[in-house]
Amino acid sequence: MPVPVPRQRVSPAVESGQAAVLPKQQVGSSMESAAATASPAATAPAAPAAPVVSANSTDLTLLVIEDDPAGTFTVPSLLDTAGTRVRIRTARNLTEAERLLTDDVHCILLDLALPAPSGEDGDELATLRHVLRLAPRHAVLALTAEADAERAAEAVRVGAQDFLFRDELDGRQLSRAIRYAVERKRADTAQHKLAESRLRAQENARLERGLLPTPLLEGSNLRFASRYRPGRSRALLGGDFYDTVRTSDGTVHAMIGDVCGHGPDEAALGVELRIAWRALTFAGLCGDELLSTLQQVLEHERESEEIFATLCTVDIAPDGRRAGLCLAGHPSPLIARHGRAAQLLPYEDGGPALGLLPRARWSRRQVELGGAWSLMMYTDGLIEGRVGPPGSKQRLGQDGMVEMINRQLTAGLTGEALLEAAVNEARDLNGGELTDDVALLLLDRG
């Protein structure tokens, strides 16, 4: 049986709501409910939440869960030597504790001698486990008798921040234990979040490797480079997509596209369209037949009829000197031939974006590439960034992009370095990060 402690005389300072210092003495195993002294906000039912600590205050709130028929604990707050005021709120059982566990509670002092919840009598720490489930973000102190040291140590292994022996407890020790428990809980939470963040980063990296395409160009003399930057902060993928494959006849097929919108649904749809394009290309489809089938995929997979996608496809002949070009509402690729300035491929024969017209048709235009060339395909995120002074509404546009790429080619940039420089300069001209997704694909025949 716990040893009761004589009721303390409450000083005028306590009765007026000021902090009171708890004399160094033993505290009984049970404490009187302070529902009468708690504010209405403190006693109103509320869902458990993360403890809130004011940046300008060191005050802490302690919820004591202990059945106290003698009512021996009457001091509503403690003040330790460090100046930390601990406001005390008491509950006689778990039901009352759940009602008093509001978001301003920082620590819980639980008497391990409390009866276990119904149906869990076989577990001597069932009450503690119940409280830990009820308040996973709060620091918890276990209160028990000195003779029960083994169960106290087990309570810490289960999840309590520390344990206290009621026969040795005084106000100063209690205040210090509360402060230490709260800081340990904060450290544990921060460590847990850091571990979760690292695991999520590893998973995202694996997912990214799986979702972004691996070019299938075995047997081709073309060099491949790509650059991808989603517009959403911390996003894995955006609505842009691209791919490059070589079929058995030696033709190299490349495509790049853009699903309208920037959310995860658009990113998922972009991945579906890319995979469908690869499968249809290996199946021998090309030009209008391929785009019409992709439109059917889009119409079946999109969430609403307002969703559409732009697309550019290029099929390069095995000799590398000519190609077929199809545009579905997408900007025309840029080509740089040896000894000549970069320019846009013809775009007059382009058709509508996928998903806009039910029975649309797309023409395939034959273009001459030449002997040595670099072909850059891109999404409109690169050309829609702003240029000029802050607040300017002028866009970089295709003409500005061509000038920018020519400067970088003159500086000797090629491959990944050229694409990286293009994205970085467009961002700098925009005066900050580009808001739209950006994808670039570069094929070189030297």
Side-chain angles (χ1 to χ4, degrees), residues 253-272:
H253 302 260
M255 73 88 175
I256 194 165
D258 181 4
V259 178
C260 68
H262 312 289
D265 293 333
E266 288 77 11
L269 182 56
V271 172
E272 291 182 74

Side-chain angles (χ1 to χ4, degrees), residues 88-101:
I88 297 173
R89 189 180 301 170
T90 62
R92 296 177 183 274
N93 51 54
L94 295 177
T95 300
E96 188 175 348
E98 185 171 359
R99 179 172 61 85
L100 296 176
L101 186 60

Side-chain angles (χ1 to χ4, degrees), residues 404-423:
M404 177 180 71
I405 295 298
N406 277 320
R407 289 195 303 271
Q408 293 162 351
L409 289 172
T410 302
L413 298 179
T414 60
E416 293 280 358
L418 174 63
L419 301 185
E420 182 72 17
V423 174

Side-chain angles (χ1 to χ4, degrees), residues 56-79:
N56 299 320
S57 173
T58 58
D59 290 358
L60 300 173
T61 300
L62 173 70
L63 174 61
V64 179
I65 310 175
E66 183 176 22
D67 183 16
D68 183 9
T72 58
F73 195 92
T74 60
V75 177
S77 66
L78 307 175
L79 186 65

Side-chain angles (χ1 to χ4, degrees), residues 26 36 47 96 119 144 177 198 239 255 259 277 285 295 316 340 440:
Q26 293 180 344
E96 188 175 348
T144 188
R198 288 173 175 169
M255 73 88 175
V259 178
W277 176 87
L285 275 66
Q295 174 158 282
I316 303 171
R340 296 164 59 183
L440 297 97

Side-chain angles (χ1 to χ4, degrees), residues 164-175:
L164 299 169
F165 293 134
R166 67 169 57 90
D167 299 330
E168 300 177 354
L169 188 64
D170 59 42
R172 187 173 182 179
Q173 181 187 21
L174 176 60
S175 298

Side-chain angles (χ1 to χ4, degrees), residues 85-139:
R85 178 185 295 178
V86 181
R87 296 187 176 91
I88 297 173
R89 189 180 301 170
T90 62
R92 296 177 183 274
N93 51 54
L94 295 177
T95 300
E96 188 175 348
E98 185 171 359
R99 179 172 61 85
L100 296 176
L101 186 60
T102 53
D103 59 3
D104 59 339
V105 172
H106 302 95
C107 185
I108 299 171
L109 179 63
L110 173 67
D111 184 3
L112 296 182
L114 273 178
S118 177
E120 301 183 35
D121 296 336
D123 183 359
E124 62 179 6
L125 292 177
T127 304
L128 173 62
R129 298 181 197 276
H130 181 86
V131 170
L132 292 173
R133 289 193 298 269
L134 184 67
R137 300 178 182 179
H138 291 72

